Amino acid sequence: MVLVLNTETGEGKIEGEAQPLPTLAGASKADLQQLLTGLGVPERQLRMRVSQLWGWIYARGVTSFDDMTDISKGLRAQMQDAVTLARPEIVSEQISQDGTRKWLLRLPKREHEARAPEVETVYIPESDRGTLCISSQVGCTLTCTFCHTGTQKLVRNLTHAEIVGQIMLARDRLGDWPGAEVQGSSAMLPEADRKITNIVLMGMGEPLYNFENVRTAMAIASDPGGLSHSKRRITLSTSGVVPEIGRWGAEAGTMLAISLHAVTDELRDVLVPINRKYPIKALLDACRNYPGLSNARRITFEYVMLKDVNDSLDDARALVRLLSGIPAKINLIPFNAWPGAEYECSDWEQIERFAEIVNKAGYASPVRTPRGRDILAACGQLKSASMKLRASERAPQGEALHTGD
Ligand code: SAH
Ligand code: SF4
C-alpha cells in the first residue's frame, strides 16, 4: 500500500480526486507507525501502539476498529476517519466441485489507470491441509507460451498490502481467524485447525520482478505475532530470474520452486523465453547456491507435461540427470488447457511412464493432481477479468473464450 497519508493531520485522502480511504489490511509495521505518527501518537508510545494494532489486524483479523478494546476510543475514532480495515473487493467467488475456490478481486483504481485492475486468488483444500495460491502482479511481462497469464500484458505490480490482502480475504471467507466462522459454503474444507496451512506464490505474475513488495508481504505473512505462516510453508515460484534467486533466499528465506519445463535450452527458449537471458546452466547454478538448501529443504522443480513437446522418456532421463546433486523435488504438472492454447496435455499413460522414470530415480509421487479445472482455477489459467472483458468486447457474437467461467 502505500498509505497515502498527510503526516501532519493523519488524513488519508489523496488530494484532487475522491479516493476511498486507505486500508490497514496488509499494512507493514512502518505503515502503521507512519499512520500513528500522523495522528499525533507520542513517539514513546509508538512501539506499543503498533504492536497492539498488529495483533488486532493480523492475529485476530478484526474488521472493525470498535473491536480494538485496548485502544482508546479517541484514537479509534481518529483511525476510523483516516483509514479502513477493508479487504480487496470480491468481484466473484467460484467453488469447484472438488472444493477449490477462486476469487476474482478488484483492486483500487489509481489515477492513471483506465479501469480498476483485477487479480485472482485460488484456495486448494485437501483432507489435512489447505494451500492458498496468491498473485504478485496483474498480468505478467513474461510470455511463456503455455501460460494463460503470459498472454496478458503486465498491468502493474501489486503493492505489499494487496498481496497480503489476498491472504486476509481468504482467511475471512474460510473462517480462518481465531473463533471465526466460515462465510458462505463450508464444502470440503480440511479438518486441520488452520484452513490455510501453505501459501504458494504461483498465481498471476513473476514474483521476483516485484521483489521488494513480495518480500515485505511475506515478512508480514510470516510474522509470528501476526498471520504467522511459517516460511517453510511459503513457496515462491519463479520462471528463473537468476540474479534475484540467491537474494530472495538470503532476504526472504522461503521455499523455492523453479518452473523448469524443459531439459534443453533450445526448447526452454521457446516455452519459457526468459531462458534466452538466463539459460538452464545459470539457473541450476543459482539453485545449487540457494541459501538454506538441504535435503530437508529441497527446491521444487515444476515440469508441465506437454504432449509430444517435452514428454518423451528421453526427456525424463535427461531431467533426472540434470538435477542430480541438487536436493530437489519434481512436480509433474498436467498441462491445463485454456481456450486458444497451442499445446495439449500429455496422454495419461505417457505421464505415468515419465513419472516412473522420475520415481525410480528417487523422487516420490511427483504428479500434481489437477484441481479446480471446472472453474479455470488451475495453474497457469489465471487471467484477469479486465482482459476477458476486452476479449468479449472484441467478440460480441458470444465466442466463448472462458467456457468454464
Ligand atoms: N511466474 C511464476 C509463478 C506463477 S506460474 C512462474 O512462472 O513460476 C505458477 C506455475 O504454473 C509455473 O510453474 C507455471 O509454469 C505453471 N503453469 C503456467 N501455465 C500453466 C498451464 N497452462 N498448465 C500447467 N501449469 C502451468
Ligand atoms: Fe509469467 Fe509464470 Fe506465466 Fe511465465 S508461467 S508467463 S513467468 S506467470
Side-chain angles (χ1 to χ4, degrees):
M1 135 170 92
V2 188
L3 257 184
V4 196
L5 283 169
N6 178 334
T7 40
E8 308 256 294
T9 63
E11 282 267 312
K13 288 181 188 160
I14 298 170
E15 278 175 27
E17 205 178 317
Q19 291 271 349
L21 295 180
T23 177
L24 295 187
S28 63
K29 287 193 174 161
D31 296 330
L32 296 180
Q33 184 156 336
Q34 188 196 341
L35 167 74
L36 295 174
T37 307
L39 294 178
V41 172
E43 171 127 33
R44 61 190 145 71
Q45 284 186 15
L46 276 179
R47 260 180 85 125
M48 179 195 66
R49 294 280 178 231
V50 166
S51 134
Q52 282 174 320
L53 266 180
W54 194 258
W56 288 116
I57 298 170
Y58 294 122
R60 307 291 294 276
V62 303
T63 50
S64 159
F65 290 106
D66 294 339
D67 293 334
M68 301 182 172
T69 44
D70 58 359
I71 295 179
S72 75
K73 280 202 174 141
L75 182 55
R76 278 190 255 156
Q78 274 183 294
M79 287 196 289
Q80 187 118 31
D81 289 342
V83 288
T84 71
L85 292 162
R87 306 345 193 185
E89 180 194 344
I90 302 181
V91 179
S92 66
E93 175 179 76
Q94 289 174 281
I95 304 187
S96 155
Q97 283 162 5
D98 67 16
T100 300
R101 283 146 208 252
K102 179 170 84 170
W103 296 282
L104 175 64
L105 307 177
R106 184 175 295 138
L107 307 173
K109 187 174 100 56
R110 293 184 183 167
E111 247 171 296
H112 65 276
E113 286 168 347
R115 62 178 84 208
E118 292 171 347
V119 287
E120 292 177 329
T121 305
V122 174
Y123 174 71
I124 306 144
E126 289 167 77
S127 56
D128 59 341
R129 54 152 76 190
T131 303
L132 189 70
C133 176
I134 58 179
S135 294
S136 55
Q137 298 183 310
V138 184
C140 188
T141 50
L142 300 171
T143 52
C144 303
T145 45
F146 55 89
C147 173
H148 206 193
T149 309
T151 64
Q152 177 184 4
K153 279 211 184 87
L154 177 76
V155 179
R156 71 165 164 86
N157 282 336
L158 300 192
T159 63
H160 63 259
E162 289 165 343
I163 297 167
V164 175
Q166 297 172 60
I167 305 171
M168 300 182 73
L169 172 127
R171 289 242 192 145
D172 289 351
R173 299 300 298 164
L174 300 167
D176 201 19
W177 300 107
E181 302 263 309
V182 58
Q183 298 175 358
S185 163
S186 60
M188 288 184 259
L189 292 182
E191 291 300 324
D193 278 353
R194 285 179 72 167
K195 304 301 171 210
I196 301 173
T197 55
N198 294 62
I199 293 177
V200 293
L201 282 150
M202 292 187 188
M204 293 164 64
E206 169 48 59
L208 292 184
Y209 276 161
N210 186 14
F211 193 100
E212 274 78 20
N213 291 344
V214 176
R215 185 191 53 204
T216 306
M218 293 307 103
I220 297 170
S222 60
D223 186 278
L227 290 173
S228 148
H229 291 278
S230 155
K231 287 185 176 180
R232 303 281 303 260
R233 288 169 171 265
I234 298 178
T235 303
L236 175 136
S237 174
T238 179
S239 58
V241 186
V242 167
E244 305 288 16
I245 289 178
R247 188 179 152 221
W248 177 263
E251 295 181 17
T254 71
M255 304 301 280
L256 180 68
I258 300 286
S259 296
L260 189 62
H261 306 320
V263 291
T264 63
D265 282 324
E266 193 188 356
L267 179 58
R268 197 165 188 272
D269 280 350
V270 176
L271 298 180
V272 188
I274 196 179
N275 194 69
R276 292 180 212 149
K277 204 163 173 192
Y278 308 117
I280 293 176
K281 182 174 178 316
L283 178 58
L284 295 183
D285 282 347
C287 290
R288 281 191 193 87
N289 293 323
Y290 191 66
L293 184 62
S294 70
N295 281 337
R297 302 193 52 168
R298 293 164 188 261
I299 293 177
T300 301
F301 288 88
E302 299 162 281
Y303 196 94
V304 63
M305 298 298 294
L306 303 172
K307 185 175 181 168
D308 298 332
V309 174
N310 65 354
D311 65 349
S312 76
L313 302 188
D314 277 345
D315 287 321
R317 286 184 276 267
L319 176 62
V320 167
R321 273 199 306 275
L322 202 58
L323 300 184
S324 75
I326 304 179
K329 291 188 226 172
I330 296 177
N331 231 256
L332 302 180
I333 315 175
F335 171 61
N336 290 307
W338 36 273
E342 55 181 289
Y343 300 102
E344 279 176 71
C345 182
S346 307
D347 296 332
W348 198 251
E349 298 74 44
Q350 188 64 14
I351 298 183
E352 281 183 342
R353 284 193 287 265
F354 195 106
E356 201 185 315
I357 293 175
V358 172
N359 275 325
K360 280 209 177 119
Y363 300 95
S365 41
V367 184
R368 187 185 293 174
T369 323
R371 299 290 305 265
R373 279 186 161 177
D374 52 339
I375 55 168
L376 281 182
C379 267
Q381 290 184 321
L382 306 184
K383 193 165 157 182
S384 83
S386 48
M387 186 65 187
K388 289 175 204 163
L389 192 66
R390 281 201 295 282
S392 58
E393 280 162 1
R394 279 203 304 276
Q397 60 279 71
E399 192 182 313
L401 286 161
H402 275 251
T403 46
D405 276 5

